[in-house]
Amino acid sequence: MTAPVSLPPDAEALAAAPRRGPQQDRSPLPDVLRGAALLGILVVNMQDFAGLREWQQAGLDRAAQVFTDMLFNGRFISIFAMLFGWGAAGLLARQGAGVFLRRHLALLVVGSLHFVLVWHGDIIATYAVLGLALMAVARLRARALLVLASVLGAWWLLEGVFAALAFAARGQVYPRFSGLPSFADGGTYAGAVAGRAAEYLDDLLGGAVYNGPWLVALFCLGAAAGKTGLLLRPQDHLPLLRRFAAVGVPLGLVLGGALAWLNTRGDYLSGLAAIPVRMSGGLAGALGYVGLIGLLAARGRLGPLRHLAASGRTAMSNYLAQSLVMTTVFYPYAGAQFGRWGAAATLALALGFGLLQLPLSAWTVRRFGTGPAEWLVRRVVYGGR
């Protein structure tokens, strides 16, 4: 990979001098983090694609589930959300509200089609809707964004804790919820599409309301990183990156261990408690990973991790490809493997396919400069530019 073009010393000065068209100058760290997040998200999403229940795993599958919970679960979706906030806030500052709104409308369309036609776990449409909140807060200084993120995040986590405590006080026992698709229509593709289309609006709005405070908090953290230049100039933030690594990694492992234990239990209360544990541990672990990878980037020692950058540059195309391939393998209207695989086999498949996407992404970037989904969105947003 060629060295990134030198950047101005002040990231906010860059934002103050808009330049029309897609961003061209790139620092390797955001793309590497995005590529890592994409691989980690696939590992966790496999549980839904394959139709496995975490609390029913045993033996080697249990070990794979613990590995997933301690090192992946909640971490990479947090990195992805923070990077979305970083990119969206930067776009708004550079290009203005018109381009920002066109991009989010395009993402909403892509995400909606992804949900209805491919997979019910889409996040693109949700990000497109909730990302509009950045229009109200992106002008805030980094410190104010951090305060807002702390308030929103603490509120959402405490709501989850209080919900679990309230249910525990009732003394009732129910089986754990899974959130997996039922395929009650017999598993035809037409039936699956019709079912997802019928639930799309409720799912989008309900998910945005429920997850809104947490996701907006992560977007604000990403926007704050953009204000400080953390991802573009990690060498200027070595003490902060060291603190991220020193605190985030061990705290994330502790909370990941708690999540792994909760995921051995098949009762409703454990499912409720797992939500705030997963996301708080995920955020801690995410910041730890950002710290570790940021330190490597600051010292020019990314090494093999640089291969993740091309995947990060084509993240939307790769994310959509993951859904298309995995639903084809597992859903009843195609490969019909739903509910037949354990955590170990799905982990191996996720890592294998995710690593395969790295050279394919590198070839795509060399040959075309961007991925097909990214190209389409840019055509919509920027026209022929």
Side-chain angles (χ1 to χ4, degrees):
M1 180 179 293
T2 58
V5 176
S6 298
L7 293 163
D10 186 353
E12 292 193 61
L14 177 64
R19 181 176 54 190
R20 309 308 297 177
Q23 176 83 4
Q24 298 298 325
D25 301 342
R26 307 189 78 91
S27 172
L29 180 56
D31 289 330
V32 168
L33 287 171
R34 194 177 290 110
L38 190 70
L39 177 59
I41 287 171
L42 176 59
V43 168
V44 177
N45 282 349
M46 289 298 294
Q47 299 174 1
D48 188 276
F49 288 133
L52 67 85
R53 290 166 171 79
E54 302 96 306
W55 57 95
Q56 294 178 349
Q57 306 306 299
L60 182 60
D61 290 327
R62 166 54 53 200
Q65 185 63 50
V66 170
F67 177 78
T68 298
D69 287 336
M70 293 192 68
L71 297 180
F72 290 85
N73 216 332
R75 287 145 179 76
F76 293 100
I77 191 66
S78 297
I79 292 176
F80 206 75
M82 288 187 285
L83 286 170
F84 181 88
W86 173 80
L91 177 72
L92 181 60
R94 290 192 311 272
Q95 310 285 6
V99 169
F100 180 88
L101 289 172
R102 287 200 300 273
R103 178 169 175 78
H104 280 248
L105 179 59
L107 293 178
L108 178 60
V109 172
V110 171
S112 301
L113 292 174
H114 178 223
F115 182 99
V116 173
L117 299 179
V118 184
W119 184 49
H120 75 118
D122 172 75
I123 60 170
I124 299 174
T126 302
Y127 282 21
V129 171
L130 291 175
L132 297 177
L134 289 169
M135 296 187 70
V137 302
R139 293 181 179 273
L140 296 176
R141 294 185 179 274
R143 186 178 298 274
L145 287 167
L146 292 175
V147 171
L148 179 59
S150 299
V151 171
L152 290 174
W155 172 32
W156 188 87
L157 289 172
L158 287 173
E159 276 197 333
V161 171
F162 290 149
L165 291 175
F167 184 84
R170 291 162 56 184
Q172 297 174 316
V173 179
Y174 293 104
R176 187 161 175 168
F177 49 91
S178 70
L180 299 174
S182 65
F183 300 111
D185 60 349
T188 66
Y189 178 69
V193 169
R196 290 193 294 260
E199 66 187 27
Y200 165 70
L201 192 57
D202 286 343
D203 187 275
L204 176 64
L205 297 179
V209 170
Y210 175 74
N211 294 309
W214 182 252
L215 287 176
V216 172
L218 294 178
F219 295 165
C220 288
L221 290 178
K227 296 283 186 179
T228 62
L230 175 66
L231 300 183
L232 298 181
R233 304 188 312 277
Q235 66 275 8
D236 294 345
H237 302 275
L238 295 179
L240 178 60
L241 292 171
R242 291 191 190 101
R243 287 196 293 272
F244 281 171
V247 177
V249 171
L251 180 59
L253 287 174
V254 169
L255 291 170
L259 176 63
W261 178 77
L262 287 169
N263 279 345
T264 66
R265 303 171 62 84
D267 60 283
Y268 190 89
L269 176 58
S270 295
L272 281 180
I275 296 171
V277 171
R278 174 181 183 249
M279 298 317 298
S280 58
L283 177 56
L287 293 175
Y289 291 167
V290 170
L292 290 175
I293 298 174
L295 288 171
L296 292 174
R299 295 164 180 162
R301 296 179 180 176
L302 283 170
L305 292 176
R306 281 187 170 271
H307 295 297
L308 294 165
S311 180
R313 292 185 63 173
T314 55
M316 190 181 347
S317 297
N318 283 324
Y319 173 72
L320 297 174
Q322 289 172 358
S323 298
L324 183 60
V325 170
M326 295 308 168
T327 55
T328 300
V329 170
F330 289 103
Y331 277 18
Y333 50 74
Q337 296 298 301
F338 193 81
R340 299 183 180 183
W341 290 40
T346 56
L347 174 61
L349 178 59
L351 292 175
F353 185 76
L355 292 175
L356 177 63
Q357 286 187 305
L358 301 186
L360 292 176
S361 299
W363 176 85
T364 300
V365 170
R366 286 196 305 269
R367 180 68 176 82
F368 302 104
T370 189
E374 288 78 12
W375 177 86
L376 180 61
V377 169
R378 288 180 181 182
R379 290 286 294 184
V380 171
V381 175
Y382 300 107
R385 291 173 295 178

